[in-house]
Amino acid sequence: MPPIPPSPDVGRPLALVTGGCSGIGRALADRLAARGHDLLLVSERPDRLAEAAEALRRAHGGAVHAVHLDLARPGAALELHRRVGEMGLAPDVLVSNAGFLLFGEVADTPLDRADALLQLHVVTPSLLCTLFGRDLRQRGRGRILLVSSISAWRDFPGIAYYGSSKKYLRGFARALRSELHVHGVSVTCLSPGPTDTALYAPDAAPVARGRRLGLFMSADAVAEAGVRALLAGRAECVPGLVNRVMATASALTPQWVVDLLRRRAPWLRAGAGTP
């Protein structure tokens, strides 16, 4: 599918980016702006949102709109769609990126955090695709990028909520792509591996060691690969050779190895009678 040409009534294509004020989301917004897109950034952090919007305007000269909204709340997708319409905007590109890492066993997870993750990773992206996907289908053009993770390739203890939600997004993207492709709308799934962002708390993952070993990609490198895949109309992008190897290896890992990890991992509960 060729790149989206500017709409005659708009002049420049508009990309809506959730979680666009930091990490991979901001890098995706930067790469899209560098390719001639105006931006609509969505985040629940007003100060970071305003700072990112101003920095992107200065860097690229295009229009950058900002919507302060907590996408982890029920009804957030419908509210965002309504507010975008009231602003008189019609996105050509939807980038669903907002998310957070929830680490720990399911039985130990605070209910409010589990609910927020499921809203942010599953409910809101799905409904945004329904609402904005309907608009794009009606116009017969557009692109959608859903950000998943290589954790979607294997179910690991300690990230059950996170990994399963990312697996959902990957499958959802595949089905949605089949539905919308015949209407001129492409859907791409971006599945990064460990990325050097604030997603990882230092006490939740061996971040420093991973950086020293070169296992963490930069957000800019991930975003560049993702935007290239999006604009090329590719179905899926796993950026980085190491991440592609890790995804394949994890998919082929026998369950008994995962169970052994569960028993030995120092960051998970040992459990009664577990060596």
Side-chain angles (χ1 to χ4, degrees), residues 154-195:
R154 163 58 69 180
D155 305 314
F156 280 109
I159 56 168
Y161 274 112
Y162 180 84
S164 296
S165 69
K166 294 298 187 178
K167 178 179 287 189
Y168 168 84
L169 285 173
R170 186 177 180 227
F172 182 79
R174 288 178 169 181
L176 184 64
R177 178 180 175 85
S178 293
E179 293 179 0
L180 291 180
H181 189 75
V182 295
H183 300 285
V185 180
S186 72
V187 179
T188 300
C189 182
L190 173 62
S191 297
T195 306

Side-chain angles (χ1 to χ4, degrees), residues 57-127:
R57 285 191 200 100
R58 290 197 307 266
H60 302 289
V64 183
H65 310 273
V67 174
H68 173 224
L69 181 63
D70 182 3
L71 295 174
R73 290 192 298 102
L78 190 60
E79 181 177 348
L80 177 58
H81 187 260
R82 176 184 60 79
R83 289 172 62 176
V84 171
E86 290 174 350
M87 295 168 71
L89 301 175
D92 301 279
V93 177
L94 169 64
V95 177
S96 181
N97 162 80
F100 65 90
L101 177 63
L102 185 57
F103 188 83
E105 294 198 352
V106 170
D108 297 324
T109 303
L111 293 182
D112 60 336
R113 296 294 288 166
D115 183 73
L117 183 141
L118 293 174
Q119 288 287 338
L120 190 59
H121 288 201
V122 176
V123 178
T124 296
S126 302
L127 298 184

Side-chain angles (χ1 to χ4, degrees), residues 239-255:
L241 176 60
V242 172
N243 289 327
R244 291 192 288 273
V245 172
M246 289 173 61
T248 302
S250 64
L252 298 175
T253 299
Q255 186 60 40

Side-chain angles (χ1 to χ4, degrees), residues 3-14 36 38 90-93 136 139 141-142:
I4 299 174
S7 300
D9 56 334
V10 176
R12 287 165 57 98
L14 175 65
D38 287 337
D92 301 279
V93 177
L136 296 174
R139 287 152 57 192
R141 59 195 295 275

